[in-house]
Amino acid sequence: MKNTELAQALQLTPVINVAGTMTYLGSSIVVPEAIEAIQKILPEFVRMEELQRFASGVIAQLTGAEAGFITASCASGISMAVAGCLTQDNLLAIEQLPELSTPKNEVVVQAGHLVSYGAPVEQGIRLTGAKCVRVGYATQCSAYHLRQSINERTAAAVYVVSHHVVDHGQLPLALFCQIAHEQGVPVIVDAASEYDLQRFLADGADIVIYSGHKFLGGPTSGIVAGKKSWVRYAWLQNRGIARGMKAGKESVYGTIAALQAWEKRDHHAIRERENRALTLWMSGLQNLKGIRVSLEADPTGNPLTRCKIETDPVQAKITAWDLSSALAAGKPAVIVRDHQAELGYFYLDPCNLHPEQEHIVLTRIVDELDNAQRAPEPIITDFGQYLLQREQSILRWPD
Ligand SMILES: *Cc1c(COP(=O)(O)O)cnc(C)c1O
């Protein structure tokens, strides 16, 4: 946290985020254009449907969609889009969800896409009253799996683009859309964290949903974009289950401003800055005992490179997960991208750094590795025990 006054007032641990855009860390550094927009609109009255109509125009222009709107989050956008496929514009059916009066209540998803991004994709679908139908197997979904899973009860098909999903054996989006469309089923894409605002609609998706608070640097929000009729059916859910998922005027205008700023952003300069941090880490960590560093491109093709740090627990005298925990326990807390720590590595993601923080990150890692070398015993927590400790800490809140 740059603002130490704020950290003190709220009794917060200062955080340096090298994990990525994570909801549990406050997502991203909100861009100045969005902050300004939020300040401007907060004291005003607006007709929300007019403001959202304006948002629709901006979303259409940037994504190539016919229409769009802003909601509370990508998670809520997924539920709204699915609900829209169930009810279409039947206002009574909208009020009656999650109870469904028609047998058309199935949503097909590839098994390898039924992941958790912090909450299960499947639950976001089932919240609407729909039944989630698993297609294929975790690491293998063929065209026939999808084709034969679609029947007269199928209301929608959901496709997830993310580093969370199984990275092989899945249907490419264009083919997925082709098969769904052959049987008249609309395709909803969860593209929460993807930088490309046009690709998924161009591949045939009917609705795509992005997070406003991730790469865009907007306030907490979700952006729903797509074919006008499906977007309208999703929008109408504000009269039903999406009442509790609403975006206020500040989120709508803040997200519009972030979208407009995205178009003008100097992406090249940002990459240069990220590359400087990566170069610093690569050279500073290169010759440390038991450590191997390399650069790795983002797995879903976002223009983003991360620094991968592999530890050999015998040489380094510490495991990847113990090193990650030690970094997170410090002050400032350095939070690394460690969802694959059991494989012996974690990543440093440079996309949410404030100026100069990359140096603190490097120093903290070098210090922790140094501590491990000098410790009387190697720091090797059994991974199963580590998982149990994490679970206990989740359950302790607010203590
Ligand atoms: C972050 C994420 C979400 C949830 O996004 P929110 O806007 O925080 O609700 C959904 N799907 C994927 C793939 C994500 O990465």
Side-chain angles (χ1 to χ4, degrees):
M1 181 167 299
K2 263 200 322 182
N3 186 338
T4 48
E5 206 179 302
L6 185 65
Q8 273 175 6
L10 302 179
Q11 300 172 6
L12 305 175
T13 315
V15 166
I16 296 180
N17 175 12
V18 276
T21 49
M22 300 292 164
T23 296
Y24 66 90
L25 294 176
S27 301
S28 57
I29 301 167
V30 174
V31 295
E33 291 88 344
I35 296 174
E36 199 181 309
I38 290 167
Q39 261 177 344
K40 262 194 205 149
I41 205 165
L42 274 170
E44 305 296 335
F45 289 108
V46 292
R47 284 207 166 102
M48 287 302 292
E49 60 184 54
E50 269 181 12
L51 182 63
Q52 290 272 22
R53 192 174 296 132
F54 185 78
S56 179
V58 174
I59 293 168
Q61 202 187 352
L62 284 173
T63 63
E66 292 171 6
F69 64 85
I70 310 292
T71 179
S73 61
C74 178
S76 57
I78 296 166
S79 296
M80 292 172 83
V82 169
C85 294
L86 301 173
T87 65
Q88 303 206 357
D89 57 2
N90 179 335
L91 295 178
L92 181 59
I94 286 168
E95 290 179 3
Q96 286 171 339
L97 291 187
E99 221 118 274
L100 273 158
S101 49
T102 72
K104 203 168 181 170
N105 67 346
E106 292 183 1
V107 175
V108 291
V109 193
Q110 297 179 89
H113 285 194
L114 286 171
V115 295
S116 170
Y117 48 76
V121 167
E122 181 173 347
Q123 188 180 36
I125 294 168
R126 287 194 299 105
L127 261 180
T128 63
K131 212 175 110 186
C132 187
V133 175
R134 189 176 292 258
V135 177
Y137 311 102
T139 54
Q140 192 226 332
C141 183
S142 306
Y144 68 83
H145 286 121
L146 178 61
R147 199 181 298 114
Q148 308 302 334
S149 300
I150 294 175
N151 57 44
E152 67 285 354
R153 293 185 302 280
T154 310
V158 169
Y159 191 100
V160 182
V161 186
S162 169
H163 69 276
H164 293 292
V165 305
V166 178
D167 63 2
H168 63 284
Q170 311 301 308
L171 295 173
L173 178 59
L175 177 58
F176 187 89
C177 291
Q178 184 192 318
I179 295 167
H181 289 162
E182 274 164 13
Q183 300 181 71
V185 172
V187 174
I188 298 165
V189 175
D190 169 2
S193 258
E194 303 308 301
Y195 287 43
D196 193 321
L197 294 174
Q198 300 189 343
R199 179 152 61 102
F200 313 110
L201 288 169
D203 275 353
D206 296 276
I207 287 203
V208 179
I209 304 130
Y210 297 92
S211 282
H213 47 278
K214 292 188 176 172
F215 60 98
L216 278 173
T220 305
S221 63
I223 299 158
V224 178
K227 302 247 165 68
K228 193 184 275 185
S229 55
W230 297 115
V231 167
R232 176 180 294 139
Y233 305 153
W235 161 255
L236 290 173
Q237 308 302 320
N238 281 306
R239 305 172 59 90
I241 59 165
R243 174 68 185 198
M245 306 174 180
K246 69 168 162 292
K249 58 193 173 185
E250 69 284 8
S251 299
V252 179
Y253 191 30
T255 305
I256 295 171
L259 276 166
Q260 289 171 328
W262 178 253
E263 213 183 8
K264 292 191 223 114
R265 194 184 285 193
D266 187 346
H267 293 275
H268 181 69
I270 288 174
R271 284 226 81 184
E272 293 270 285
R273 206 179 65 206
E274 291 172 359
N275 285 338
R276 279 197 295 277
L278 293 169
T279 307
L280 175 82
W281 295 332
M282 286 293 287
S283 61
L285 297 169
Q286 202 115 61
N287 296 317
L288 297 176
K289 204 167 172 196
I291 294 298
R292 201 160 72 196
V293 283
S294 53
L295 294 180
E296 204 171 286
D298 179 74
T300 61
N302 290 311
L304 181 62
T305 302
R306 300 184 179 95
C307 178
K308 181 177 183 179
I309 302 181
E310 293 173 84
T311 74
D312 168 357
V314 175
Q315 293 284 318
K317 299 193 175 167
I318 188 165
T319 67
W321 54 93
D322 284 303
L323 181 54
S324 162
S325 301
L327 292 166
K331 210 170 173 189
V334 172
I335 315 286
V336 303
R337 190 175 183 88
D338 70 349
H339 58 284
Q340 290 170 323
E342 76 267 37
L343 300 176
Y345 57 82
F346 59 74
Y347 296 94
L348 303 178
D349 183 320
C351 80
N352 286 295
L353 288 170
H354 286 294
E356 304 304 321
Q357 285 183 331
E358 62 271 27
H359 296 282
I360 306 176
V361 172
L362 177 60
T363 309
R364 291 278 293 108
I365 296 174
V366 170
D367 285 353
E368 290 299 344
L369 287 169
D370 209 37
N371 287 344
Q373 287 298 333
R374 282 180 305 171
E377 297 279 331
I379 305 169
I380 301 181
T381 309
D382 172 75
F383 191 70
Q385 291 306 311
Y386 167 76
L387 290 179
L388 288 178
Q389 284 163 17
R390 279 215 315 214
E391 192 174 293
Q392 280 154 11
S393 110
I394 291 168
L395 294 170
R396 263 200 306 275
W397 189 90
D399 298 331

PDB file of all heavy atoms in Angstrom, residues 288-291 312-318 366-379:
ATOM      1  N   LEU A 288      21.003 -17.613  -7.087  1.00  0.00           N
ATOM      2  CA  LEU A 288      20.738 -17.996  -5.702  1.00  0.00           C
ATOM      3  C   LEU A 288      20.631 -19.515  -5.601  1.00  0.00           C
ATOM      4  O   LEU A 288      20.115 -20.182  -6.505  1.00  0.00           O
ATOM      5  CB  LEU A 288      19.458 -17.318  -5.204  1.00  0.00           C
ATOM      6  CG  LEU A 288      19.549 -15.784  -5.186  1.00  0.00           C
ATOM      7  CD1 LEU A 288      18.217 -15.184  -4.771  1.00  0.00           C
ATOM      8  CD2 LEU A 288      20.640 -15.325  -4.230  1.00  0.00           C
ATOM      9  N   LYS A 289      21.120 -20.018  -4.486  1.00  0.00           N
ATOM     10  CA  LYS A 289      21.192 -21.469  -4.285  1.00  0.00           C
ATOM     11  C   LYS A 289      19.796 -22.119  -4.300  1.00  0.00           C
ATOM     12  O   LYS A 289      18.923 -21.733  -3.533  1.00  0.00           O
ATOM     13  CB  LYS A 289      21.861 -21.740  -2.944  1.00  0.00           C
ATOM     14  CG  LYS A 289      22.502 -23.080  -2.876  1.00  0.00           C
ATOM     15  CD  LYS A 289      23.419 -23.201  -1.684  1.00  0.00           C
ATOM     16  CE  LYS A 289      23.871 -24.651  -1.562  1.00  0.00           C
ATOM     17  NZ  LYS A 289      24.443 -24.942  -0.260  1.00  0.00           N
ATOM     18  N   GLY A 290      19.626 -23.103  -5.182  1.00  0.00           N
ATOM     19  CA  GLY A 290      18.378 -23.862  -5.205  1.00  0.00           C
ATOM     20  C   GLY A 290      17.226 -23.149  -5.888  1.00  0.00           C
ATOM     21  O   GLY A 290      16.089 -23.579  -5.805  1.00  0.00           O
ATOM     22  N   ILE A 291      17.530 -22.069  -6.594  1.00  0.00           N
ATOM     23  CA  ILE A 291      16.477 -21.273  -7.239  1.00  0.00           C
ATOM     24  C   ILE A 291      16.708 -21.261  -8.744  1.00  0.00           C
ATOM     25  O   ILE A 291      17.834 -21.055  -9.211  1.00  0.00           O
ATOM     26  CB  ILE A 291      16.520 -19.816  -6.718  1.00  0.00           C
ATOM     27  CG1 ILE A 291      16.152 -19.779  -5.236  1.00  0.00           C
ATOM     28  CG2 ILE A 291      15.600 -18.902  -7.520  1.00  0.00           C
ATOM     29  CD1 ILE A 291      14.765 -20.275  -4.925  1.00  0.00           C
ATOM     30  N   ASP A 312      14.272 -25.637  -5.370  1.00  0.00           N
ATOM     31  CA  ASP A 312      14.660 -27.008  -5.033  1.00  0.00           C
ATOM     32  C   ASP A 312      14.796 -27.030  -3.513  1.00  0.00           C
ATOM     33  O   ASP A 312      15.732 -26.445  -2.961  1.00  0.00           O
ATOM     34  CB  ASP A 312      15.997 -27.312  -5.724  1.00  0.00           C
ATOM     35  CG  ASP A 312      16.616 -28.597  -5.203  1.00  0.00           C
ATOM     36  OD1 ASP A 312      16.043 -29.213  -4.271  1.00  0.00           O
ATOM     37  OD2 ASP A 312      17.679 -28.977  -5.719  1.00  0.00           O
ATOM     38  N   PRO A 313      13.864 -27.668  -2.810  1.00  0.00           N
ATOM     39  CA  PRO A 313      13.823 -27.545  -1.354  1.00  0.00           C
ATOM     40  C   PRO A 313      15.086 -28.069  -0.660  1.00  0.00           C
ATOM     41  O   PRO A 313      15.406 -27.615   0.425  1.00  0.00           O
ATOM     42  CB  PRO A 313      12.606 -28.383  -0.945  1.00  0.00           C
ATOM     43  CG  PRO A 313      11.957 -28.834  -2.182  1.00  0.00           C
ATOM     44  CD  PRO A 313      12.810 -28.512  -3.345  1.00  0.00           C
ATOM     45  N   VAL A 314      15.808 -28.983  -1.317  1.00  0.00           N
ATOM     46  CA  VAL A 314      17.030 -29.498  -0.697  1.00  0.00           C
ATOM     47  C   VAL A 314      18.120 -28.426  -0.726  1.00  0.00           C
ATOM     48  O   VAL A 314      18.757 -28.122   0.284  1.00  0.00           O
ATOM     49  CB  VAL A 314      17.489 -30.798  -1.414  1.00  0.00           C
ATOM     50  CG1 VAL A 314      18.820 -31.275  -0.856  1.00  0.00           C
ATOM     51  CG2 VAL A 314      16.413 -31.872  -1.275  1.00  0.00           C
ATOM     52  N   GLN A 315      18.280 -27.808  -1.888  1.00  0.00           N
ATOM     53  CA  GLN A 315      19.314 -26.782  -2.036  1.00  0.00           C
ATOM     54  C   GLN A 315      18.909 -25.458  -1.392  1.00  0.00           C
ATOM     55  O   GLN A 315      19.684 -24.837  -0.665  1.00  0.00           O
ATOM     56  CB  GLN A 315      19.574 -26.528  -3.536  1.00  0.00           C
ATOM     57  CG  GLN A 315      20.201 -27.681  -4.279  1.00  0.00           C
ATOM     58  CD  GLN A 315      21.675 -27.806  -3.958  1.00  0.00           C
ATOM     59  OE1 GLN A 315      22.389 -26.806  -3.890  1.00  0.00           O
ATOM     60  NE2 GLN A 315      22.140 -29.026  -3.731  1.00  0.00           N
ATOM     61  N   ALA A 316      17.691 -25.049  -1.668  1.00  0.00           N
ATOM     62  CA  ALA A 316      17.235 -23.741  -1.162  1.00  0.00           C
ATOM     63  C   ALA A 316      16.852 -23.825   0.313  1.00  0.00           C
ATOM     64  O   ALA A 316      16.737 -22.817   0.990  1.00  0.00           O
ATOM     65  CB  ALA A 316      16.048 -23.246  -1.981  1.00  0.00           C
ATOM     66  N   LYS A 317      16.638 -25.024   0.792  1.00  0.00           N
ATOM     67  CA  LYS A 317      16.250 -25.291   2.186  1.00  0.00           C
ATOM     68  C   LYS A 317      14.894 -24.706   2.540  1.00  0.00           C
ATOM     69  O   LYS A 317      14.613 -24.385   3.695  1.00  0.00           O
ATOM     70  CB  LYS A 317      17.317 -24.791   3.170  1.00  0.00           C
ATOM     71  CG  LYS A 317      18.649 -25.478   2.966  1.00  0.00           C
ATOM     72  CD  LYS A 317      19.577 -25.203   4.121  1.00  0.00           C
ATOM     73  CE  LYS A 317      20.866 -26.008   3.952  1.00  0.00           C
ATOM     74  NZ  LYS A 317      21.903 -25.585   4.843  1.00  0.00           N
ATOM     75  N   ILE A 318      14.066 -24.530   1.522  1.00  0.00           N
ATOM     76  CA  ILE A 318      12.699 -24.045   1.740  1.00  0.00           C
ATOM     77  C   ILE A 318      11.849 -24.466   0.544  1.00  0.00           C
ATOM     78  O   ILE A 318      12.362 -24.516  -0.590  1.00  0.00           O
ATOM     79  CB  ILE A 318      12.678 -22.505   1.945  1.00  0.00           C
ATOM     80  CG1 ILE A 318      11.271 -22.012   2.366  1.00  0.00           C
ATOM     81  CG2 ILE A 318      13.158 -21.753   0.710  1.00  0.00           C
ATOM     82  CD1 ILE A 318      11.247 -20.600   2.926  1.00  0.00           C
ATOM     83  N   VAL A 366      15.194 -12.284  -1.574  1.00  0.00           N
ATOM     84  CA  VAL A 366      16.596 -12.585  -1.259  1.00  0.00           C
ATOM     85  C   VAL A 366      16.750 -12.769   0.254  1.00  0.00           C
ATOM     86  O   VAL A 366      17.409 -13.717   0.715  1.00  0.00           O
ATOM     87  CB  VAL A 366      17.519 -11.455  -1.785  1.00  0.00           C
ATOM     88  CG1 VAL A 366      18.936 -11.620  -1.273  1.00  0.00           C
ATOM     89  CG2 VAL A 366      17.498 -11.432  -3.311  1.00  0.00           C
ATOM     90  N   ASP A 367      16.100 -11.917   1.035  1.00  0.00           N
ATOM     91  CA  ASP A 367      16.196 -12.019   2.501  1.00  0.00           C
ATOM     92  C   ASP A 367      15.625 -13.330   3.011  1.00  0.00           C
ATOM     93  O   ASP A 367      16.210 -13.981   3.878  1.00  0.00           O
ATOM     94  CB  ASP A 367      15.452 -10.857   3.178  1.00  0.00           C
ATOM     95  CG  ASP A 367      16.238  -9.554   3.078  1.00  0.00           C
ATOM     96  OD1 ASP A 367      17.403  -9.603   2.612  1.00  0.00           O
ATOM     97  OD2 ASP A 367      15.685  -8.505   3.454  1.00  0.00           O
ATOM     98  N   GLU A 368      14.446 -13.704   2.478  1.00  0.00           N
ATOM     99  CA  GLU A 368      13.824 -14.950   2.960  1.00  0.00           C
ATOM    100  C   GLU A 368      14.669 -16.175   2.588  1.00  0.00           C
ATOM    101  O   GLU A 368      14.757 -17.128   3.359  1.00  0.00           O
ATOM    102  CB  GLU A 368      12.391 -15.110   2.417  1.00  0.00           C
ATOM    103  CG  GLU A 368      11.373 -14.136   2.981  1.00  0.00           C
ATOM    104  CD  GLU A 368      11.177 -14.238   4.503  1.00  0.00           C
ATOM    105  OE1 GLU A 368      11.591 -15.260   5.100  1.00  0.00           O
ATOM    106  OE2 GLU A 368      10.635 -13.286   5.081  1.00  0.00           O
ATOM    107  N   LEU A 369      15.275 -16.132   1.396  1.00  0.00           N
ATOM    108  CA  LEU A 369      16.121 -17.262   0.996  1.00  0.00           C
ATOM    109  C   LEU A 369      17.370 -17.330   1.864  1.00  0.00           C
ATOM    110  O   LEU A 369      17.846 -18.413   2.222  1.00  0.00           O
ATOM    111  CB  LEU A 369      16.480 -17.138  -0.488  1.00  0.00           C
ATOM    112  CG  LEU A 369      15.314 -17.445  -1.437  1.00  0.00           C
ATOM    113  CD1 LEU A 369      15.657 -17.053  -2.867  1.00  0.00           C
ATOM    114  CD2 LEU A 369      14.932 -18.933  -1.371  1.00  0.00           C
ATOM    115  N   ASP A 370      17.856 -16.173   2.222  1.00  0.00           N
ATOM    116  CA  ASP A 370      19.010 -16.074   3.107  1.00  0.00           C
ATOM    117  C   ASP A 370      18.680 -16.640   4.492  1.00  0.00           C
ATOM    118  O   ASP A 370      19.441 -17.415   5.062  1.00  0.00           O
ATOM    119  CB  ASP A 370      19.348 -14.580   3.216  1.00  0.00           C
ATOM    120  CG  ASP A 370      20.812 -14.380   3.464  1.00  0.00           C
ATOM    121  OD1 ASP A 370      21.601 -15.157   2.886  1.00  0.00           O
ATOM    122  OD2 ASP A 370      21.145 -13.467   4.250  1.00  0.00           O
ATOM    123  N   ASN A 371      17.504 -16.263   5.006  1.00  0.00           N
ATOM    124  CA  ASN A 371      17.040 -16.799   6.297  1.00  0.00           C
ATOM    125  C   ASN A 371      16.978 -18.320   6.259  1.00  0.00           C
ATOM    126  O   ASN A 371      17.365 -18.989   7.212  1.00  0.00           O
ATOM    127  CB  ASN A 371      15.630 -16.299   6.636  1.00  0.00           C
ATOM    128  CG  ASN A 371      15.632 -14.843   7.037  1.00  0.00           C
ATOM    129  OD1 ASN A 371      16.692 -14.295   7.350  1.00  0.00           O
ATOM    130  ND2 ASN A 371      14.454 -14.219   7.011  1.00  0.00           N
ATOM    131  N   ALA A 372      16.466 -18.836   5.132  1.00  0.00           N
ATOM    132  CA  ALA A 372      16.315 -20.287   5.011  1.00  0.00           C
ATOM    133  C   ALA A 372      17.689 -20.969   5.039  1.00  0.00           C
ATOM    134  O   ALA A 372      17.861 -22.023   5.659  1.00  0.00           O
ATOM    135  CB  ALA A 372      15.566 -20.637   3.735  1.00  0.00           C
ATOM    136  N   GLN A 373      18.675 -20.360   4.361  1.00  0.00           N
ATOM    137  CA  GLN A 373      20.024 -20.946   4.350  1.00  0.00           C
ATOM    138  C   GLN A 373      20.607 -20.990   5.757  1.00  0.00           C
ATOM    139  O   GLN A 373      21.356 -21.891   6.112  1.00  0.00           O
ATOM    140  CB  GLN A 373      20.956 -20.128   3.427  1.00  0.00           C
ATOM    141  CG  GLN A 373      20.691 -20.293   1.941  1.00  0.00           C
ATOM    142  CD  GLN A 373      20.904 -21.733   1.454  1.00  0.00           C
ATOM    143  OE1 GLN A 373      21.683 -22.494   2.019  1.00  0.00           O
ATOM    144  NE2 GLN A 373      20.185 -22.120   0.410  1.00  0.00           N
ATOM    145  N   ARG A 374      20.248 -19.991   6.559  1.00  0.00           N
ATOM    146  CA  ARG A 374      20.865 -19.909   7.886  1.00  0.00           C
ATOM    147  C   ARG A 374      20.056 -20.587   8.981  1.00  0.00           C
ATOM    148  O   ARG A 374      20.505 -20.704  10.114  1.00  0.00           O
ATOM    149  CB  ARG A 374      21.114 -18.436   8.241  1.00  0.00           C
ATOM    150  CG  ARG A 374      22.370 -17.914   7.521  1.00  0.00           C
ATOM    151  CD  ARG A 374      22.631 -16.503   7.847  1.00  0.00           C
ATOM    152  NE  ARG A 374      21.437 -15.721   7.536  1.00  0.00           N
ATOM    153  CZ  ARG A 374      21.269 -14.462   7.853  1.00  0.00           C
ATOM    154  NH1 ARG A 374      22.169 -13.820   8.519  1.00  0.00           N
ATOM    155  NH2 ARG A 374      20.158 -13.832   7.524  1.00  0.00           N
ATOM    156  N   ALA A 375      18.838 -21.000   8.638  1.00  0.00           N
ATOM    157  CA  ALA A 375      17.982 -21.636   9.648  1.00  0.00           C
ATOM    158  C   ALA A 375      18.607 -22.966  10.076  1.00  0.00           C
ATOM    159  O   ALA A 375      19.257 -23.633   9.264  1.00  0.00           O
ATOM    160  CB  ALA A 375      16.596 -21.861   9.075  1.00  0.00           C
ATOM    161  N   PRO A 376      18.415 -23.370  11.334  1.00  0.00           N
ATOM    162  CA  PRO A 376      19.000 -24.632  11.805  1.00  0.00           C
ATOM    163  C   PRO A 376      18.457 -25.857  11.049  1.00  0.00           C
ATOM    164  O   PRO A 376      19.159 -26.831  10.848  1.00  0.00           O
ATOM    165  CB  PRO A 376      18.621 -24.675  13.285  1.00  0.00           C
ATOM    166  CG  PRO A 376      17.561 -23.631  13.488  1.00  0.00           C
ATOM    167  CD  PRO A 376      17.704 -22.643  12.394  1.00  0.00           C
ATOM    168  N   GLU A 377      17.205 -25.774  10.611  1.00  0.00           N
ATOM    169  CA  GLU A 377      16.564 -26.889   9.896  1.00  0.00           C
ATOM    170  C   GLU A 377      15.988 -26.368   8.579  1.00  0.00           C
ATOM    171  O   GLU A 377      15.531 -25.228   8.532  1.00  0.00           O
ATOM    172  CB  GLU A 377      15.365 -27.417  10.696  1.00  0.00           C
ATOM    173  CG  GLU A 377      15.680 -28.012  12.047  1.00  0.00           C
ATOM    174  CD  GLU A 377      16.174 -29.441  11.909  1.00  0.00           C
ATOM    175  OE1 GLU A 377      15.758 -30.107  10.932  1.00  0.00           O
ATOM    176  OE2 GLU A 377      16.974 -29.872  12.764  1.00  0.00           O
ATOM    177  N   PRO A 378      15.941 -27.179   7.531  1.00  0.00           N
ATOM    178  CA  PRO A 378      15.253 -26.745   6.305  1.00  0.00           C
ATOM    179  C   PRO A 378      13.778 -26.428   6.601  1.00  0.00           C
ATOM    180  O   PRO A 378      13.189 -27.070   7.480  1.00  0.00           O
ATOM    181  CB  PRO A 378      15.356 -27.952   5.376  1.00  0.00           C
ATOM    182  CG  PRO A 378      16.436 -28.809   5.937  1.00  0.00           C
ATOM    183  CD  PRO A 378      16.518 -28.515   7.404  1.00  0.00           C
ATOM    184  N   ILE A 379      13.219 -25.455   5.894  1.00  0.00           N
ATOM    185  CA  ILE A 379      11.825 -25.057   6.129  1.00  0.00           C
ATOM    186  C   ILE A 379      10.947 -25.823   5.145  1.00  0.00           C
ATOM    187  O   ILE A 379      10.758 -25.418   4.000  1.00  0.00           O
ATOM    188  CB  ILE A 379      11.677 -23.523   5.960  1.00  0.00           C
ATOM    189  CG1 ILE A 379      12.681 -22.809   6.873  1.00  0.00           C
ATOM    190  CG2 ILE A 379      10.241 -23.080   6.262  1.00  0.00           C
ATOM    191  CD1 ILE A 379      12.813 -21.324   6.622  1.00  0.00           C
TER     192      ILE A 379
END
